[in-house]
């Protein structure tokens, strides 16, 4: 470790970094998402036109990334709560991080077809 | 490690005990007296810390349920359109769900970004401007979203 830094590396720091990065990304999406939903107050045509971009293959890939960020942030957030409020939380923080990543991989595999299936049908035909 | 686990033996026991006392005692054991300066920030940071955990638990349910309905069930994103939104907001249950999700997610996210700005923006003016921008965008988004949910009209045409 270089001198004069608080960063310690390993599971604790990297999960903290990932929690920050995913949190900021989700917040920026949320801002855009409220704006696009507000178009239902303009006209059904304008709303449907913008939502159509959400159904294109490239944006579908971004949606899969959004799901990845939200799932990690949610699962790791529960781990942070356990570390703060469960008396044995700090002792098992590493094991809990590996559990978070395990559940995350399973859920991401489960989301693969529902989120990207539509894009695959557009690209390769049904 | 608790003090009861330390077994001090040999001639350097006193020195070791002193070192232990000095290294751990200082930051936490200062007792408050009348002369201790009072924090001017009240309990805001503690309330914010607690809010992040409580809203986080609720958001796990609200947001994952939202993702399941919008992106996974019944054809995923391809079914979404004005008619789908109108169908869902015909029910007060989903209006309250979306309203709670909007407020909690925006406040949770705004407080998260406030922490990030506090951590990385070092110049006073930079912090001031970034937080001003953050609070403006947050208030605008919450009010706009709330207005849209409450004034939604399925027969807008």
């Amino acid at each position: 470790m270089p001198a004069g830094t608080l960063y310690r590396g390993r599971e604790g720091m990297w999960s903290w970094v990932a929690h920050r990065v995913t949190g900021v990304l989700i917040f920026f999406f949320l801002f855009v998402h409220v704006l696009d939903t507000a178009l239902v107050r303009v006209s059904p045509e304008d709303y449907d036109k913008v939502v159509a971009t959400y159904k294109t293959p490239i944006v579908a890939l971004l949606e899969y990334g959004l799901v990845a960020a939200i799932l990690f942030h949610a699962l790791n957030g529960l781990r942070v709560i356990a570390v703060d409020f469960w008396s044995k939380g700090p002792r098992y923080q590493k094991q809990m991080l590996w559990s978070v990543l395990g559940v995350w991989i399973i859920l991401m595999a489960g989301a693969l077809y529902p989120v990207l299936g539509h894009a695959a049908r557009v690209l390769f035909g049904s | 490690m608790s003090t009861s686990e330390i077994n001090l033996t040999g001639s350097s026991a006193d020195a070791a005990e002193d070192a232990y006392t000095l290294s751990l005692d200082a930051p936490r054991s200062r007792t408050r007296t009348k002369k201790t300066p009072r924090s001017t920030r009240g309990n805001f940071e503690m309330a914010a810390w607690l809010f992040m955990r409580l809203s986080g638990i609720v958001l796990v349910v609200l947001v994952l349920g939202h993702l399941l309905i919008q992106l996974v069930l019944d054809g995923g994103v391809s079914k979404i359109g004005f008619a789908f939104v109108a169908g869902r907001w015909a029910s007060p249950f989903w209006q309250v769900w979306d309203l709670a999700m909007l407020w909690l997610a925006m406040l949770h996210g705004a407080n998260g970004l406030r922490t990030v700005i506090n951590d990385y923006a070092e110049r006073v003016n930079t912090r001031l401007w970034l937080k001003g921008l953050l609070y403006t965008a947050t208030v605008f988004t919450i009010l706009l979203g709330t207005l849209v949910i409450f004034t939604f009209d399925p027969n807008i045409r």
Side-chain angles (χ1 to χ4, degrees):
Chain A
M1 267 300 129
T5 178
L6 288 167
Y7 296 106
R8 299 297 175 96
R10 303 194 63 85
E11 294 88 344
M13 182 194 105
W14 291 111
S15 63
W16 173 84
V17 168
H19 203 74
R20 289 216 143 169
V21 172
T22 53
V24 171
L25 290 174
I26 295 164
F27 186 73
F28 287 150
F29 168 74
L30 179 59
F31 180 66
V32 175
H33 184 48
V34 173
L35 291 183
D36 71 55
T37 305
L39 285 173
V40 296
R41 284 303 289 131
V42 178
S43 81
E45 290 78 17
D46 289 317
Y47 179 75
D48 287 347
K49 205 182 293 173
V50 170
V51 168
T53 61
Y54 279 92
K55 300 172 186 177
T56 60
I58 290 172
V59 183
L61 203 61
L62 293 175
E63 277 153 24
Y64 193 64
L66 178 73
V67 171
I70 289 176
L71 282 177
F72 175 79
H73 199 86
L75 294 168
N76 191 56
L78 294 176
R79 167 178 164 269
V80 169
I81 292 171
V83 169
D84 285 349
F85 291 103
W86 178 37
S87 59
K88 288 177 183 162
R91 192 187 304 170
Y92 291 115
Q93 62 94 6
K94 278 184 199 176
Q95 288 91 327
M96 284 195 290
L97 179 63
W98 297 120
S99 310
V100 161
L101 292 177
V103 175
W104 181 80
I105 287 172
I106 292 168
L107 291 176
M108 284 308 288
L112 196 62
Y113 180 75
V115 177
L116 291 175
H118 178 74
R121 280 189 296 276
V122 169
L123 284 177
F124 309 114
S126 56
Chain B
M1 184 161 62
S2 71
T3 45
S4 61
E5 288 168 18
I6 300 170
N7 188 16
L8 296 167
T9 52
S11 56
S12 62
D14 287 347
E17 193 170 33
D18 279 352
Y20 187 73
T21 309
L22 282 172
S23 63
L24 271 187
D25 235 18
R28 285 162 201 257
S29 66
R30 191 171 78 172
T31 47
R32 289 203 157 268
T33 65
K34 279 178 184 173
K35 285 180 181 173
T36 310
R38 280 214 156 264
S39 164
T40 52
R41 306 201 64 174
N43 277 331
F44 177 77
E45 291 300 338
M46 206 274 269
W49 176 88
L50 192 62
F51 171 77
M52 291 308 264
R53 274 117 191 105
L54 294 178
S55 62
I57 291 175
V58 180
L59 280 167
V60 168
V61 177
L62 293 178
V63 173
L64 295 191
H66 182 73
L67 286 181
L68 193 67
I69 292 164
Q70 306 290 327
L71 290 181
V72 176
L73 299 177
D74 197 19
V77 76
S78 58
K79 67 175 176 292
I80 299 177
F82 185 85
F84 182 76
V85 175
R88 297 200 61 225
W89 279 350
S91 152
F93 178 82
W94 294 115
Q95 285 184 315
V96 171
W97 182 296
D98 286 354
L99 194 69
M101 191 164 60
L102 169 75
W103 278 73
L104 289 177
M106 282 307 295
L107 293 175
H108 186 102
N111 190 52
L113 254 83
R114 183 184 68 91
T115 309
V116 171
I117 292 170
N118 279 340
D119 278 357
Y120 302 120
E122 292 182 1
R123 289 173 51 220
V124 177
N125 269 338
T126 316
R127 295 156 76 92
L128 214 64
W129 279 104
L130 286 176
K131 282 196 229 174
L133 186 67
L134 171 68
Y135 297 152
T136 310
T138 302
V139 170
F140 171 77
T141 311
I142 289 178
L143 290 182
L144 177 70
T146 306
L147 189 80
V148 167
I149 293 174
F150 277 121
T151 67
F152 178 71
D153 175 13
N155 307 309
I156 191 168
R157 268 177 293 199

